[in-house]
Amino acid sequence: MNDDTCASISESVDFIRAMIAADNASGKYGGRVVTRFPPEPNGYLHIGHAKSICLNFGIAAENQGVCHLRFDDTNPTTEDTEYVESIQNDVRWLGFDWGPHLYHASDYFQQLYDFAVELIRRGKAYVDSSTEEQIRQRRGTINEPGTPGPYRDRSIEENINLFDRMRRGEFDDGTHVLRAKIDLAATNMKMRDPLLYRIRKGAHHYRTGDTWCIYPFYDFAHCLSDAIENITHSICTLEFENNRELYDWVLDNVGLMPPRPEQTEFARLNLTYTVMSKRKLLRLVQEKHVKGWDDPRMPTLSGLRRRGVRPSAIRAFCQEIGVARTHNVIDLARFEHIIRDDLNLDVPRVMCVLRPIEVIIDNYPEDLVETLEAPYYPRDVPRQGTRAVPFSRRLLIERDDFEESPPKGWFRLAPGTEVRLRYAYIIRCERVVKDDAGRVIRLHCSYDPNSRGGQASSDKKVKGTIHWVSENHAVRVQVRLYDRLFVSESPDAEDGDFVRALNPSSLEIVEDACLEPAAAAAIGTEFSHLQFERQGYFSLDPDSQPHALVFNRVVTLRDSWGKRQEKETVPQTPPTNAPSPRSASSSKPTTAETDVEQELSDDQKALRDRIVAKGVPSREARLIACHPGLAEFFEDACDEASDARAVAKWIVNELLRELKSRVLSSLAFDGKDLGRLVALVTQGTITHTAGKEVFAAMLAGQGKPEAIVGQRGLEQSTSASDLAGIIDRVLHEHAGEVAAYRAGKVALMGFFVGLVMRESQGKANPSSVRSLLQAKLDA
RNA sequence: UGGGGGAUCGUUCAAUGGUAGGACAGCAGAUUCUGGCUCUGCAUAUCGGGGUUCGAAUCCCUGUCCCCCAGCCA
């Protein structure tokens, strides 16, 4: 999995890997990397989980770390060993190994209980004996703060006593819960005294049995399980963002200090034409819209496995789609592309006629059977192997490969036209036989004996090549053709119920497909997959019997002809250029000025007016006036720099960014220092570019501006000849770019300026650089 | 309407303040005994408005849109 080809192909890494690399560099966890995949055993794993598995196990492997498999089994009412087994099976199948690191949250129940008691002792948790409804009421809403209930201030002793009795099973479900004592008015709803433990007296846990009458919630159990296992990076999906504050709170309040696990969220995988929530998948199974969790139309790993998708394809897919924090919906076509790509170079090609129509070769001897040797692989697949294909007078071809009145561009068989039978002869359709209903039942053809594949005179060209089988030699097999489970690109977004978007023809069963005999003999032993030429990749379904083979279509081949037909018959409604919601601009330009104006206090207004009086635009003045202490800082700076406007720009555009994460007083420099830096720039002692470098150094606490300029030799270089030298060298070293620039790619200007600026270490004046460059390039 | 996130080709992932690039999808062509594979080429994007800068997808201000949070689920 950890192959360096991948690493070298993609130079950039995702934000999580970048963060871990930074943690390793800083020694935050002493170079340890421990991740975990924490499924709840209440459903089957799906392709979305695969993304998380590949991420967690992949990151661990890349960093010589380990990844734990931990069952998050804190809810006895929904969990089951059936799921535990399928999950382990699926992770292993995907190609990952947790070694000895198989864990269960239920293993930690005693420790978690002890942590809860510790929280109570610290006055950070209490037993609430309100009803479920009362708790909901008192939680408030998004807009209104919650209100404390009558049990919030119970004594520590009473809480411990009650919690102990909850544990002993003295109370019924729903009569008491343990809650964290945080803040019922918190803006983060997750912090409004979240529930930590509930009573599940009668429930039977699949591992701990009836030992426990109380069970911890996710927010309590998960972070502590991570901590117990010494996880370093706890990676989860975006919907847990709000839970992170609580994650940290619990670890803080049971007294766990850094280095300790930290949670990072990424965007889960979504696929077009697919539902991914466990709830919905469970419903598909329970309501029998599919045949089970492993129905080949399901996005579950067991479904994909049964369909014939290989784990290597899923791994490649997860690698391809990347990891980010943006909500995404991956085009199903992209998954299909990867599946084909994964199979293309490995899978032998054979012939199978799905919907046969009979072909009689009138001029072929009645009893002759020729045995043709046909390669398993096309020339572009570097593999060896052939099989024998019997040819005789009575053949079967695909019904779709004959058209009585062909459309333009038709390469296949039609009355009077020729087509090549793959690896065999060229035939011509001489006569069409129909039944009473007018349906074509048989084609009489002639063949050209000199056109056999591989023979000297076989280079006769025909447009089309079709697959076929000899009728008497064909093996009848069942073929299951799968299509997307939903007709809607986003079934989740369907009005009403997602099952209404189910594709009624997601499964088509072909009972008597005709497979060439060699393929029937080799599948299941020699080969796990076959390509039925021109149709798709197929795998053997476990329903197969020795003489009743069942094939699943893994994925179709790309079909540019089919696409073309589709477009001609179904006139596409032109893509409605509905305005993208995100680009919808407001029709009423709101006046930003007045909005901010309203928030200004009288004092702030006075400050702003003083700043404006120095010649600073009101917009910037307002920003400075709003920030505590900034106006004084500004005025100090103005004492050192004559240009108040310039000082304001530096403060607004450079300093304000820093002030988002720390307060003014924590800066290693004062207003006067900043003022002198601004003066250095406005007087032309250093360039603006160098000024920014100095500013960064000042932020880093590296001293006064003058000292930094001195140390680094940042005084503006005025030597025109030096500059000319640098420019000549840069242009000489980048002749290709120069040519491209002269050919019209003027965007390259920034590239050249950047190079020259870097060469001069920011000392050159960028304006002069630009004009000199311009002159040279235009010359 | 509170808080937390997000916004780059049709989709998706990139781009130390310095050439907006890749993949899939699309289109056109080459090749082909699979209308497959492969190859070549084309088109299409920085949410809007201001500002800073020689230079902004990236920094500052502001607006808009989308997602998540009010389970005794995870």
Side-chain angles (χ1 to χ4, degrees), chain A residues 472-484:
Chain A
N472 289 332
H473 301 86
V475 176
R476 308 289 153 156
V477 299
Q478 188 190 94
V479 176
R480 298 174 181 172
L481 303 174
Y482 299 103
D483 196 356
R484 48 192 61 155

Side-chain angles (χ1 to χ4, degrees), chain A residues 273-312:
Chain A
Y273 303 102
T274 309
V275 296
M276 210 74 95
S277 89
K278 273 198 242 178
R279 212 200 93 246
K280 287 177 179 163
L281 295 176
L282 178 63
R283 207 179 134 199
L284 291 175
V285 172
Q286 286 179 337
E287 294 178 7
K288 307 239 191 300
H289 295 114
V290 295
K291 289 178 182 159
W293 286 103
D294 70 342
D295 187 298
R297 293 166 292 183
M298 291 282 272
T300 50
L301 294 183
S302 50
L304 294 169
R305 175 170 59 234
R306 180 160 186 178
R307 182 146 173 176
V309 175
R310 301 196 295 189
S312 49

Side-chain angles (χ1 to χ4, degrees), chain A residues 710-750:
Chain A
Q711 280 161 23
R712 305 193 180 195
L714 291 175
E715 287 87 357
Q716 185 162 182
S717 147
T718 47
S719 161
S721 60
D722 284 359
L723 198 51
I726 294 175
I727 288 175
D728 284 343
R729 193 165 66 245
V730 162
L731 293 185
H732 180 73
E733 283 166 4
H734 297 274
E737 281 81 2
V738 170
Y741 178 90
R742 289 185 172 140
K745 190 161 181 178
V746 292
L748 247 17
M749 189 49 147

Side-chain angles (χ1 to χ4, degrees), chain A residues 105-273:
Chain A
S106 53
D107 287 340
Y108 310 138
F109 280 171
Q110 182 59 47
Q111 288 174 83
L112 296 176
Y113 179 86
D114 295 340
F115 276 125
V117 171
E118 176 61 21
L119 232 34
I120 295 172
R121 284 221 173 84
R122 294 179 181 218
K124 300 287 188 180
Y126 63 98
V127 172
D128 193 337
S129 309
S130 309
T131 64
E132 195 174 339
E133 178 59 22
Q134 287 168 329
I135 288 175
R136 193 180 4 255
Q137 292 289 329
R138 294 194 194 109
R139 190 149 32 215
T141 68
I142 280 171
N143 298 310
E144 306 152 26
T147 50
Y151 307 103
R152 196 167 193 262
D153 292 314
R154 288 216 251 234
S155 71
I156 290 173
E157 292 67 33
E158 187 181 3
N159 281 321
I160 287 182
N161 175 264
L162 250 16
F163 189 48
D164 181 53
R165 291 167 62 196
M166 283 167 66
R167 172 193 193 166
R168 291 173 188 279
E170 290 188 23
F171 304 119
D172 290 332
D173 289 12
T175 54
H176 306 273
V177 288
L178 184 73
R179 300 180 73 176
K181 193 171 181 176
I182 307 179
D183 178 9
L184 280 159
T187 51
N188 180 353
M189 296 295 290
K190 287 278 185 279
M191 299 297 275
R192 316 247 265 225
D193 285 13
L195 276 54
L196 267 22
Y197 270 88
R198 77 282 219 183
I199 300 171
R200 286 286 173 273
K201 204 169 139 186
H204 185 87
H205 190 280
Y206 76 98
R207 290 189 82 242
T208 60
D210 302 319
T211 309
W212 291 87
C213 296
I214 55 172
Y215 291 89
F217 283 96
Y218 168 85
D219 285 308
F220 187 68
H222 196 87
C223 54
L224 289 169
S225 300
D226 283 347
I228 289 166
E229 292 176 20
N230 285 312
I231 300 296
T232 56
H233 301 273
S234 184
I235 301 165
C236 64
T237 47
L238 246 26
E239 64 269 27
F240 291 99
E241 269 171 331
N242 297 314
N243 301 58
R244 189 175 59 228
E245 191 180 354
L246 181 51
Y247 185 105
D248 291 336
W249 184 93
V250 172
L251 297 188
D252 267 341
N253 287 280
V254 299
L256 259 21
M257 305 305 286
R260 64 183 196 195
E262 283 181 22
Q263 174 180 312
T264 304
E265 312 86 19
F266 71 97
R268 65 173 344 132
L269 168 67
N270 296 288
L271 274 178
T272 55
Y273 303 102

